[in-house]
Amino acid sequence: MTSRITLKKIATEFNISIATVSKALNNSPDISSKTKEKIQEYAKKHHYKPNKAALSLLNKKTKTLGVIIPNIMNSFFTEVFVGIEEKASQLGYSLISCISNESYDKEVNTVELLKSGTIDGFIVSIAEETQINKNFNHFIEAINEGVPIVLFDRITDAINCDKVIVNDIEGARHATEHLIKTGCKKIALVSVIDTLSVGKLRVEGYKKALTDHNIAINEKIIVRLNKKEDLETSMKIILSDKSIDGLLCLEESSAIQSLQLIKSMNYKIPEEMSIICFTNGKLPQHVTPAITTISQHGKYIGEVATKMLVDRLEGKSELEFTTKIIKTSLIERETTFPLK
Amino acid sequence: MTSRITLKKIATEFNISIATVSKALNNSPDISSKTKEKIQEYAKKHHYKPNKAALSLLNKKTKTLGVIIPNIMNSFFTEVFVGIEEKASQLGYSLISCISNESYDKEVNTVELLKSGTIDGFIVSIAEETQINKNFNHFIEAINEGVPIVLFDRITDAINCDKVIVNDIEGARHATEHLIKTGCKKIALVSVIDTLSVGKLRVEGYKKALTDHNIAINEKIIVRLNKKEDLETSMKIILSDKSIDGLLCLEESSAIQSLQLIKSMNYKIPEEMSIICFTNGKLPQHVTPAITTISQHGKYIGEVATKMLVDRLEGKSELEFTTKIIKTSLIERETTFPLK
DNA sequence: TTGAAAGCGCTAACAT
DNA sequence: ATGTTAGCGCTTTCAA
């Protein structure tokens, strides 16, 4: 931050009052067009820009949005971020962005830091730790203090606010059904995100599809791991059951790992093993064979969330909070048979 | 932004002056410990946080850094961003982040928007359009107005400021030499970033390695394309020369595409074709066969750049600007033979 | 048509 | 030990 030209300096220059300069630059009808002209010209020449801090203080608005994302190395969140960025800049808002790194403490600190006069509202996807310990007070307090929040993807009923989510149940159900319809008889599930709201919902969708098709749910072939556990070993145990011929992975990284393993075990894909995973990033697309994915349309989610927050800030929303549900799409690739 | 509790309200509550409250909360020795105690307790109970806008206005400091990145979907920049984020938050700074999307106009707008009181300094990697049109006035003006900039990766001599770069020449030279030493006789180069400073330097390094090893430079097997051109066609033309047995790709995406093509042409890798590419992202790691890469240590670059900027802001730097050069590393994988 | 004054929330120099 | 005042840069009554 710097000592740029101010209204005061311009006023001194022309020997007029600060108020006149302010009005002239804001094109007030009060001021004679002659005065306006010369002041505007001078201001332009000297690159006058109103000081944001002063405006924030005055208006109690910063035109800045706080974005809290759990992990930017995750392609879904990167995509959402792109959407947020594009929409925000289009609507005239800046972004303060933080990576919670899945940490509850970092999330709390960030909220504390930003809510007091730095930003007008938050766009948040909840950190894993927070989804586990279920302590959402930092968010609830922010809302009570008048800082609106839009939650996306990882949400909770405990916070009453606007939300944007994907239909995780339906996405998983549809994917599982696709596996069934393309001939899979025994479908395993791999989740390294069972601590997350979205993880639980996706399991639900998987079970629903099985039930719909009169297939018994077998908890033994539902692999739930935390990130530190050894995926490879667990997968090897599961895959010792050679009748398993379908795999639903709830996110990208475990899908990539499983694929490597399955290839190394010389399965024919998709003949002997079909695979579908959540999140349509570059990785599943470029791996060999390319993985059939469920796209959550991350960029669109970001755009919608931003629009919702700005509408709320500018008083254009209903009083009631709403939850927007974005439809997922199945992107068929080489790890599944085409539907006949 | 919201109407939170202020010094004034606390002052009214206790029937004392605002100044006393301010001093009490700042633990000034002026104030009696009894008063301090009761005020601090009250403040804590009511979650008092000083208003950032007011502090910015007063101190002419925002404790916020502006980050301008050309494209967040590029894994190198994502990594750098992680490093910036971590370091900034550790040093007590927030981040305002913008994606220039390789656009000159967006870059100019962002700089204009942020430099007047929103941020204390910039961390920037220059947009492609700007590197082409060579119009760096927006940055130079910002610096002249007292807003320091640290440039990373994509830099220019035209801006006098602190910089963090990778030794692109040496990285490319080393990679090329590695190809030579592992038996490649004719090494082609693919660049879709020849408009960028880093692209040009990498070509230089490639040529240097060839010259060092007495191999004639053949401009015909140096493929320079812009992003819209058809890589596949150009590659097919190049690969009709069956004596080419090595490939250096200057970034990730063209490497992935080339690999697909080369595989589809039934080359044996690395026997008939060795490949190395810049940027050690997840993609080259997980593709089959996994690609040998040159790591630029993105996260570290981000950390260093942030430290440099904060040091400059806090008056801890030399007056002279410095350029830090981060060493690249070659990560050997399946697309090259091991060095004997 | 222009200007004076107040105030956004805070700190610091200077009284009391 | 506590209070008064001024001022950071700006806008907005209200007065001239």
Side-chain angles (χ1 to χ4, degrees):
Chain A
M1 196 159 161
T2 162
S3 55
R4 319 178 80 254
I5 190 164
T6 64
L7 293 190
K8 199 179 183 178
K9 285 187 201 156
I10 302 182
T12 318
E13 181 71 23
F14 287 96
N15 245 308
I16 52 177
S17 78
I18 297 178
T20 307
V21 178
S22 170
K23 286 180 195 164
L25 292 177
N26 288 313
N27 240 318
S28 154
D30 276 7
I31 308 297
S32 75
S33 45
K34 214 166 47 184
T35 319
K36 274 201 251 188
E37 230 165 85
K38 76 176 178 194
I39 293 184
Q40 287 177 4
E41 193 195 310
Y42 183 87
K44 192 161 201 174
K45 194 171 132 206
H46 291 262
H47 304 106
Y48 171 78
K49 286 274 158 103
N51 179 306
K52 285 284 189 99
L55 288 181
S56 298
L57 191 54
L58 205 55
N59 302 327
K60 307 202 173 204
K61 293 222 169 113
T62 61
K63 290 284 241 171
T64 302
L65 273 24
V67 179
I68 306 180
I69 276 177
N71 171 10
I72 194 80
M73 298 301 281
N74 173 318
S75 69
F76 169 68
F77 289 122
T78 320
E79 268 181 48
V80 176
F81 188 76
V82 170
I84 296 175
E85 215 281 335
E86 200 173 296
K87 197 55 151 191
S89 110
Q90 176 191 317
L91 296 173
Y93 281 75
S94 299
L95 252 37
I96 293 227
S97 10
C98 294
I99 306 173
S100 67
N101 224 342
E102 308 289 9
S103 145
Y104 169 74
D105 286 341
K106 178 111 195 266
E107 197 177 77
V108 171
N109 288 340
T110 305
V111 173
E112 280 302 317
L113 184 73
L114 298 183
K115 73 176 176 189
S116 48
T118 316
I119 53 120
D120 296 341
F122 283 109
I123 300 176
V124 178
S125 195
I126 301 174
E128 181 172 12
E129 259 186 45
T130 311
Q131 286 217 325
I132 295 171
N133 73 21
K134 294 189 170 51
N135 189 344
F136 307 110
N137 284 331
H138 48 306
F139 293 128
I140 295 171
E141 268 170 26
I143 293 172
N144 289 341
E145 288 168 18
V147 184
I149 295 182
V150 174
L151 245 32
F152 74 89
D153 194 55
R154 304 197 195 157
I155 66 171
T156 170
D157 287 341
I159 305 177
N160 192 19
C161 67
D162 290 313
K163 293 163 195 172
V164 188
I165 51 169
V166 133
N167 192 337
D168 283 290
I169 299 186
E170 171 54 21
R173 193 207 58 75
H174 180 207
T176 310
E177 183 169 74
H178 187 85
L179 289 171
I180 296 170
K181 286 192 177 166
T182 55
C184 294
K185 300 291 177 217
K186 192 163 185 181
I187 301 166
L189 181 147
V190 183
S191 172
V192 296
I193 53 170
D194 203 58
T195 47
L196 302 180
S197 53
V198 292
K200 297 193 173 80
L201 294 171
R202 290 171 195 175
V203 172
E204 218 177 290
Y206 158 84
K207 288 182 176 173
K208 186 166 189 309
L210 296 184
T211 309
D212 288 353
H213 288 267
N214 298 312
I215 301 174
I217 291 163
N218 179 352
E219 288 287 344
K220 284 189 191 141
I221 60 174
I222 301 183
V223 185
R224 302 172 210 246
L225 298 170
N226 65 46
K227 268 141 204 160
K228 279 148 216 149
E229 282 176 294
D230 187 359
L231 178 73
E232 196 166 323
T233 309
S234 311
M235 284 307 294
K236 275 186 184 154
I237 295 170
I238 292 295
L239 293 175
S240 64
D241 176 351
K242 294 297 172 193
S243 62
I244 291 174
D245 56 2
L247 188 60
L248 179 67
C249 297
L250 301 195
E251 42 64 70
E252 211 171 84
S253 70
S254 62
I256 302 293
Q257 272 190 75
S258 304
L259 178 70
Q260 308 296 29
L261 183 67
I262 289 167
K263 276 167 67 179
S264 76
M265 293 169 78
N266 293 315
Y267 275 83
K268 277 188 194 157
I269 304 171
E271 289 81 357
E272 297 166 351
M273 181 67 79
S274 297
I275 307 173
I276 300 184
C277 78
F278 266 83
T279 300
N280 184 39
K282 281 188 190 161
L283 227 36
Q285 238 169 99
H286 286 293
V287 121
T288 315
I291 305 178
T292 295
T293 60
I294 301 150
S295 169
Q296 298 135 287
H297 307 292
K299 190 177 162 199
Y300 185 63
I301 292 179
E303 291 169 13
V304 171
T306 308
K307 184 72 167 53
M308 281 178 102
L309 180 56
V310 170
D311 279 352
R312 169 91 32 212
L313 288 171
E314 299 181 349
K316 293 179 198 156
S317 318
E318 307 283 318
L319 282 171
E320 282 295 305
F321 292 115
T322 60
T323 297
K324 296 227 168 130
I325 300 175
I326 310 298
K327 288 209 180 91
T328 56
S329 327
L330 191 73
I331 316 270
E332 299 185 47
R333 298 214 181 82
E334 300 160 10
T335 57
T336 51
F337 280 113
L339 213 54
K340 284 169 286 244
Chain B
M1 197 160 160
T2 165
S3 56
R4 320 178 80 256
I5 191 164
T6 64
L7 293 189
K8 200 179 180 179
K9 285 187 199 158
I10 302 182
T12 317
E13 181 71 23
F14 288 94
N15 246 310
I16 52 176
S17 80
I18 297 178
T20 308
V21 179
S22 169
K23 284 180 197 162
L25 292 177
N26 288 311
N27 240 318
S28 154
D30 276 7
I31 308 297
S32 74
S33 45
K34 211 165 49 180
T35 319
K36 274 200 253 188
E37 231 165 84
K38 74 175 180 195
I39 293 185
Q40 286 177 3
E41 193 195 310
Y42 183 88
K44 192 161 200 174
K45 193 171 133 207
H46 291 262
H47 304 106
Y48 171 79
K49 284 275 158 103
N51 180 307
K52 285 283 190 100
L55 288 180
S56 298
L57 190 55
L58 204 55
N59 303 328
K60 308 202 174 204
K61 293 221 169 115
T62 61
K63 289 284 239 172
T64 303
L65 274 22
V67 179
I68 306 180
I69 276 177
N71 170 12
I72 195 80
M73 298 300 281
N74 173 319
S75 69
F76 169 68
F77 288 123
T78 319
E79 269 181 47
V80 176
F81 188 76
V82 170
I84 295 176
E85 216 280 335
E86 200 173 296
K87 197 55 152 192
S89 112
Q90 176 191 318
L91 295 172
Y93 281 75
S94 299
L95 251 37
I96 291 226
S97 14
C98 294
I99 306 173
S100 66
N101 225 340
E102 307 289 9
S103 144
Y104 169 74
D105 286 340
K106 178 113 195 266
E107 196 178 77
V108 171
N109 288 340
T110 305
V111 173
E112 281 301 317
L113 184 73
L114 298 183
K115 73 177 175 188
S116 48
T118 315
I119 52 120
D120 296 340
F122 283 109
I123 300 176
V124 179
S125 194
I126 300 173
E128 180 173 14
E129 258 186 48
T130 312
Q131 285 216 325
I132 294 171
N133 73 22
K134 295 190 170 51
N135 189 345
F136 307 110
N137 285 331
H138 48 307
F139 294 127
I140 294 170
E141 268 170 27
I143 293 171
N144 289 341
E145 288 168 17
V147 183
I149 295 181
V150 174
L151 245 31
F152 73 90
D153 194 56
R154 304 198 196 155
I155 65 171
T156 170
D157 288 340
I159 305 177
N160 192 19
C161 66
D162 291 312
K163 293 163 195 172
V164 188
I165 51 169
V166 132
N167 193 338
D168 284 291
I169 298 186
E170 172 55 20
R173 192 207 59 76
H174 181 207
T176 310
E177 184 169 74
H178 187 85
L179 289 171
I180 296 170
K181 287 191 176 164
T182 55
C184 295
K185 300 290 177 219
K186 194 163 183 181
I187 302 167
L189 180 148
V190 183
S191 172
V192 296
I193 53 169
D194 203 57
T195 48
L196 301 179
S197 52
V198 291
K200 297 194 174 78
L201 294 172
R202 290 171 195 176
V203 172
E204 218 176 291
Y206 158 84
K207 288 183 176 173
K208 186 166 187 312
L210 297 184
T211 309
D212 288 352
H213 289 266
N214 297 313
I215 302 174
I217 292 161
N218 178 352
E219 288 287 344
K220 285 187 189 143
I221 60 174
I222 300 182
V223 185
R224 301 171 211 248
L225 299 169
N226 64 47
K227 269 141 203 161
K228 279 148 216 149
E229 282 175 292
D230 185 0
L231 178 72
E232 195 167 322
T233 309
S234 311
M235 283 306 293
K236 276 186 182 151
I237 295 170
I238 292 296
L239 293 175
S240 65
D241 176 352
K242 295 296 173 193
S243 61
I244 290 175
D245 55 3
L247 188 60
L248 179 67
C249 296
L250 301 196
E251 44 62 70
E252 210 171 86
S253 71
S254 62
I256 303 292
Q257 271 191 75
S258 304
L259 178 70
Q260 308 297 28
L261 182 67
I262 289 168
K263 276 166 68 177
S264 76
M265 293 170 79
N266 294 315
Y267 274 85
K268 278 189 193 156
I269 303 172
E271 289 81 356
E272 296 166 353
M273 182 66 79
S274 298
I275 306 173
I276 299 184
C277 78
F278 265 84
T279 300
N280 184 40
K282 282 189 189 160
L283 226 37
Q285 238 169 99
H286 287 292
V287 119
T288 315
I291 306 177
T292 295
T293 60
I294 300 149
S295 168
Q296 297 135 288
H297 306 292
K299 189 176 166 203
Y300 185 62
I301 291 178
E303 291 169 12
V304 171
T306 309
K307 183 74 167 53
M308 280 178 102
L309 181 54
V310 170
D311 278 351
R312 170 91 32 212
L313 287 171
E314 300 182 348
K316 294 179 198 153
S317 319
E318 307 281 318
L319 282 170
E320 281 296 305
F321 292 116
T322 60
T323 296
K324 295 229 168 124
I325 300 174
I326 310 298
K327 289 209 178 95
T328 57
S329 326
L330 191 72
I331 317 271
E332 298 185 46
R333 298 212 182 82
E334 299 160 10
T335 58
T336 51
F337 280 113
L339 212 55
K340 285 171 288 249

